[in-house]
Amino acid sequence: MNDSSPFVAVIGGGPAGLMAAEVLAQGGARVELFDAMPSVGRKFLLAGVGGMNITHSEAKGPFLGRYGARRDQVAALLQDFGAEELRAWIHDLGIDTFVGSSGRVFPTDMKAAPLLRAWLKRLREQGVVIHNRHRWLGWDDQGALRIATPSGETRVQADACLLALGGGSWARLGSDGAWVPLLETRGVHIAPLQSSNCGFEVPGWSPLLQEKFAGAPIKSVTIRLDDTAPRQGEFVLTSTGVEGSLIYALSATIRERITTTGSATLYLDLLPNQSVEKITKALARPRGSRSMAKHLHSQLGIDGARAGLLRELSAKDDFLDTARLADTLKNLPLTLVRARPLDEAISSAGGVPFEAMDEGLMLKQLPGVFCAGEMLDWEAPTGGYLLTACFASGRVAGQGVLRWLTTS
């Protein structure tokens, strides 16, 4: 690499931007990365608190199915850099990985920081220059990048620009969606940013449930939406509704249903491993002077938050008929009316549509400008799927830049 090498500006220091920078540096480009935050990879590090879930080990078909309506587009991104390639790349950094009981893949020490440190060391050795506290403000009239720095605004003239600015969730970590109007003013259509992997609100919990059970987990249950296949896992009660992995897995479907009809009703099975017949038989046993609450606890183990949720969502008459109560335990309706605010969401849906870019992720409206990561219009549940596609999109965009530089 020398001063005659093409100069590429990468805007955004998350996984997609850092991966793009690596590909570009390996391809002979002179790379400078600009990030608005005091250090890069902040959302990546926070996502690793409690265990860095880097990808997932499930088979390719189900894996790609996690990307919903954008399955085909994300499949193209993952074609040469899927879960196995990502694990091999991590191993090359000197970080071992393992597959957990859920199929999720983690670094052996469960931490994100050692991986990020090793990666940044390699990027610096490859000549990548990283500028922190440098916020992109768009372009000037001559096409130069406007960058706000601690010492004032500067202009950067690059041969190509790669944007990896994240979505609109977790603004305090840098993903604030401030890039949306900057691209829209240049004629790029942006699908509205929406909450994904988020909590949802109910019409209103009773004060009793809020005071006693907000923050309590509801474990070993299944949920379904209408006639969809039930999913088993757990979720958490909040002061306004529900959140947690089981809810996140259905967040796109729930959000779309609310948008279409104004609400979405989930059906909870509080005893997924027991049949209606078995439950009915247990409830029909004599309870003597015991209350129904104590009877439910002694016969079926329904207590605590699950008992509170049952009382909250069922009718009083349900407790007067054992068959009816058994059916309620297997089909407890939970109505959701809105998603929690975007800044509380783990990730966002919406962004730059794939239709606005070529196969190398260059904006058709802005030749020489490429996009990657969560700012693209796709979404996926937690479980390593988000990170895998972010890494892969950074590689595809970096390769796209290199091809464009040699042909333009």
Side-chain angles (χ1 to χ4, degrees):
M1 187 188 307
N2 52 56
D3 290 341
S4 64
S5 300
F7 171 43
V8 181
V10 176
I11 313 296
L18 294 173
M19 183 60 79
E22 179 173 316
V23 170
L24 289 162
Q26 290 173 343
R30 183 164 54 93
V31 183
E32 295 190 26
L33 185 147
F34 302 86
D35 192 272
M37 304 304 289
S39 57
V40 298
R42 292 206 158 195
K43 189 174 179 181
F44 179 71
L45 290 173
L46 186 59
V49 173
M52 179 75 256
N53 177 200
I54 200 78
T55 188
H56 203 288
S57 64
E58 72 181 344
K60 185 176 181 180
F63 191 104
L64 293 177
R66 305 294 185 176
Y67 298 97
R70 290 301 194 182
R71 172 190 172 122
D72 292 346
Q73 290 86 353
V74 176
L77 301 180
L78 299 180
Q79 183 174 346
D80 296 323
F81 197 78
E84 285 302 314
E85 290 81 5
L86 176 55
R87 289 186 72 184
W89 175 84
I90 294 170
H91 297 163
D92 193 50
L93 282 172
I95 306 294
D96 290 330
T97 61
F98 73 96
V99 179
S101 58
S102 65
R104 298 184 181 199
V105 177
F106 303 88
T108 301
D109 62 4
M110 299 289 286
K111 297 177 181 177
L115 192 161
L116 183 60
R117 282 197 300 270
W119 194 7
L120 292 176
K121 179 177 182 293
R122 183 158 77 184
L123 287 171
R124 293 188 180 101
E125 290 171 349
Q126 292 171 338
V128 175
V129 178
I130 297 176
H131 303 278
N132 296 120
R133 295 188 172 89
H134 280 57
R135 177 178 289 275
W136 177 60
L137 302 176
W139 295 271
D140 66 13
D141 293 339
Q142 286 72 48
L145 300 166
R146 297 175 53 210
I147 307 289
T149 78
S151 57
E153 187 175 323
T154 188
R155 300 290 193 275
V156 173
Q157 190 72 56
D159 295 303
C161 169
L162 193 150
L163 305 176
L165 289 156
S169 63
W170 294 6
R172 64 190 176 91
L173 301 178
S175 296
D176 57 11
W179 52 269
V180 172
L182 300 179
L183 291 183
E184 287 181 330
T185 58
R186 291 280 173 143
V188 180
H189 167 71
I190 306 296
L193 298 180
Q194 303 179 77
S195 299
S196 182
N197 288 298
C198 59
F200 288 87
E201 297 180 9
V202 299
W205 291 135
S206 67
L208 178 63
L209 188 133
Q210 287 180 316
E211 292 166 12
K212 288 194 67 175
F213 299 117
I218 305 293
K219 297 184 177 182
S220 300
V221 297
T222 66
I223 65 173
R224 62 180 175 83
L225 189 66
D226 296 334
D227 57 354
T228 60
R231 292 174 178 264
Q232 186 163 357
E234 65 179 79
F235 64 93
V236 176
L237 299 177
T238 69
S239 60
T240 59
V242 291
E243 65 181 18
S245 59
L246 201 49
I247 302 299
Y248 301 156
L250 289 173
S251 63
T253 306
I254 295 170
R255 187 187 66 242
E256 291 165 6
R257 180 64 56 82
I258 292 173
T259 299
T260 302
T261 66
S263 67
T265 299
L266 300 177
Y267 294 90
L268 314 180
D269 184 345
L270 298 182
L271 295 167
N273 298 318
Q274 298 191 46
S275 67
V276 171
E277 292 75 20
K278 185 176 181 180
I279 295 169
T280 302
K281 185 177 180 180
L283 290 173
R285 295 186 183 117
R287 61 185 174 97
S289 61
R290 289 182 304 177
S291 67
M292 179 56 78
K294 290 183 177 179
H295 192 54
L296 281 165
H297 173 53
S298 65
Q299 296 299 318
L300 297 168
I302 297 292
D303 59 4
R306 278 198 301 173
L309 188 61
L310 176 63
R311 287 284 182 181
E312 184 81 11
L313 298 178
S314 56
K316 288 183 179 180
D317 289 348
D318 290 346
F319 293 86
L320 303 178
D321 183 300
T322 54
R324 184 169 170 179
L325 182 55
D327 184 67
T328 299
L329 285 163
K330 299 291 287 183
N331 294 281
L332 188 64
L334 171 63
T335 299
L336 306 175
V337 294
R338 69 184 64 86
R340 290 297 295 166
L342 179 57
D343 197 42
E344 294 181 15
I346 292 176
S347 59
S348 58
V352 180
F354 284 86
E355 294 77 13
M357 302 173 289
D358 67 12
E359 62 181 12
L361 302 184
M362 183 175 73
L363 290 168
K364 297 173 183 177
Q365 192 76 15
L366 299 172
V369 178
F370 297 74
C371 298
E374 201 183 325
M375 67 184 294
L376 306 186
D377 181 18
W378 60 277
E379 62 181 310
T382 56
Y385 309 103
L386 289 163
L387 276 175
T388 303
C390 282
F391 281 112
S393 68
R395 288 186 66 85
V396 170
Q399 292 163 349
V401 172
L402 293 172
R403 285 196 302 272
W404 183 78
L405 288 171
T406 60
T407 58
S408 62

